[in-house]
Amino acid sequence: MTEARVKMMVPNRSRDNIIQVQNLKKYYPISGGLLGRVKGYVKAVDDVSFNIRKGSTMGLVGESGCGKTTIGKTILRLTDKTQGSVKFDGIEIHDLSRQDLRALRPRIQIIFQDPYSSLSPRMPVGEIIGEAVRERKLVPLEEFDDYITKIMEDCGLKEYHKDRYPHEFSGGQRQRICIARALALNPEFIVCDEPVSALDVSIQAQIINLLKDLQEKYNLTYLFISHDLSVVEHISDTVGVMYLGNLVEYSNKETIFNNPLHPYTKALFSAIPVQDPDAKGERIILEGSIPSPSNPPSGCKFHTRCSYCMDVCREVVPEMRMVEEGHEVACHLY
């Protein structure tokens, strides 16, 4: 099936939302014993739903191990879902055949956390960026060099960088190479999996500004996964907060940073450094450690660490509720 056919295959019934995730679950089996029988499951993503509007950025935050990266990989079908629905532009990604998925691939890309390990050390930069472009014949052969040069320049690289190898670049430059590789396929949606966490603070700002400039120029849509809340606040339009495989709060950036509702969100945001040295914010320290995703607590998964815990929290799983326009939270307090 051609790429044009995949693009027309299913009409987008919600033109505003390029990504629609409904009740997504991803469980990893735990095997043991002599026969290797399945004894349980690691619930990496456990019933998550959200939409991403075309041309916008959704920030996804939470502690390590909460399932952020697994969501990104499942959306791109780098790993198979256990249950639920993932639609890109109205197309159910996990229902596509291998051939149809390959045709769709250029429209959905990913930028990995570690730019060095995601680049082949044996290939010059020009080949790394242009390999998939040549394979898919996205541009005529006579225009190939000029096209790659333009993409590199858009990402802050020079034409003479084409013949150099990844080890000859700094960390920030290598991340620019990764961005250029993704951009070269003319994507519409990019998962940014902690793309600045391995970089110096000054370089982080450059990469974030580059992503914002490219988004405006090419009308890109991002899922931005990060631990750094100040970076998420700078780049995101909407923000989702995850805890132990669940989305516990979701809203637009201004609302969630100015008025966090979930106790976990409040604790998370209280750790954000403030620029004013005289300002004294209330630091919320969470007690205990994160429970195991293979054996999560009953009821609300956060109740073992929550200072507002009630009896209902120990028994009943809270549903995601709309507490105000565009602001959803999964907590029995609301």
Side-chain angles (χ1 to χ4, degrees):
M1 183 177 289
T2 65
E3 294 179 24
R5 172 60 178 156
V6 168
K7 193 167 185 177
M8 297 296 295
M9 186 166 47
V10 179
N12 188 349
R13 294 173 177 80
S14 180
R15 287 294 174 186
D16 290 337
N17 297 322
I18 192 170
I19 295 292
Q20 296 169 288
V21 177
Q22 294 294 323
N23 306 115
L24 180 63
K25 296 182 180 181
K26 176 59 183 178
Y27 296 171
Y28 293 96
I30 302 173
S31 302
L34 293 176
L35 300 178
R37 292 176 178 172
V38 175
K39 300 191 298 182
Y41 293 90
V42 174
K43 299 179 179 180
V45 180
D46 193 13
D47 200 12
V48 170
S49 299
F50 59 83
N51 298 323
I52 305 179
R53 194 176 68 255
K54 187 175 179 63
S56 71
T57 300
M58 176 182 167
L60 199 57
V61 300
E63 294 170 290
S64 295
C66 68
K68 305 185 300 297
T69 296
T70 304
I71 283 183
K73 290 182 177 180
T74 309
I75 288 177
L76 299 180
R77 201 174 154 182
L78 297 179
T79 183
D80 290 328
K81 68 179 182 181
T82 301
Q83 192 175 319
S85 171
V86 178
K87 291 183 179 180
F88 166 76
D89 200 24
I91 301 171
E92 178 59 59
I93 291 180
H94 287 262
D95 287 347
L96 294 177
S97 66
R98 181 175 297 182
Q99 182 181 0
D100 292 345
L101 180 63
R102 186 179 186 279
L104 185 70
R105 281 289 182 210
R107 300 173 66 192
I108 51 175
Q109 292 293 304
I110 186 170
I111 301 169
F112 292 101
Q113 178 178 357
D114 184 359
Y116 191 68
S117 63
S118 62
L119 298 174
S120 171
R122 295 182 175 87
M123 295 176 65
V125 166
E127 283 299 310
I128 290 174
I129 297 173
E131 181 182 24
V133 177
R134 181 186 289 110
E135 174 70 21
R136 292 180 174 275
K137 301 178 181 179
L138 296 183
V139 296
L141 187 60
E142 61 273 14
E143 300 176 13
F144 177 80
D145 285 339
D146 291 340
Y147 178 76
I148 299 303
T149 298
K150 178 182 180 301
I151 293 296
M152 292 179 65
E153 290 176 347
D154 284 347
C155 295
L157 299 167
K158 303 298 183 182
E159 184 175 9
Y160 61 79
H161 288 150
K162 285 182 180 179
D163 298 326
R164 296 185 180 179
Y165 290 82
H167 72 271
E168 300 179 71
F169 294 87
S170 67
Q173 288 176 315
R174 286 198 287 262
Q175 196 59 285
R176 290 176 185 271
I177 296 169
C178 294
I179 294 172
R181 179 177 59 183
L183 190 66
L185 292 172
N186 194 26
E188 299 170 46
F189 172 68
I190 300 178
V191 172
C192 304
D193 186 13
E194 302 193 44
V196 297
S197 63
L199 307 177
D200 293 338
V201 175
S202 60
I203 306 302
Q204 287 183 7
Q206 295 177 21
I207 298 299
I208 292 299
N209 290 332
L210 171 63
L211 289 171
K212 294 188 71 173
D213 291 342
L214 293 174
Q215 182 177 42
E216 183 175 348
K217 183 173 182 178
Y218 291 98
N219 193 31
L220 299 171
T221 305
Y222 296 143
L223 174 63
F224 193 90
I225 299 167
S226 180
H227 287 97
D228 193 328
L229 295 170
S230 58
V231 170
V232 170
E233 185 177 13
H234 181 68
I235 195 173
S236 301
D237 298 297
T238 58
V239 178
V241 180
M242 286 197 67
Y243 182 80
L244 208 63
N246 292 111
L247 198 64
V248 297
E249 190 164 358
Y250 175 84
S251 186
N252 63 68
K253 174 181 65 178
E254 291 77 13
T255 298
I256 202 167
F257 275 92
N258 293 330
N259 184 33
L261 297 179
H262 197 282
Y264 176 67
T265 308
K266 291 178 180 180
L268 205 62
F269 286 10
S270 72
I272 302 176
V274 294
Q275 295 180 354
D276 185 358
D278 297 325
K280 294 183 179 180
E282 181 184 354
R283 180 73 170 90
I284 302 174
I285 306 297
L286 295 177
E287 300 292 336
S289 57
I290 305 176
S292 170
S294 62
N295 186 28
S298 60
C300 175
K301 294 179 181 179
F302 186 62
H303 85 257
T304 57
R305 306 172 72 192
C306 182
S307 58
Y308 300 95
C309 180
M310 302 175 289
D311 289 340
V312 67
C313 301
R314 298 183 178 93
E315 301 173 1
V316 181
V317 178
E319 296 180 359
M320 203 73 165
R321 299 178 184 274
M322 185 85 69
V323 294
E324 58 181 321
E325 183 63 32
H327 194 172
E328 300 176 64
V329 62
C331 181
H332 290 301
L333 292 173
Y334 308 95

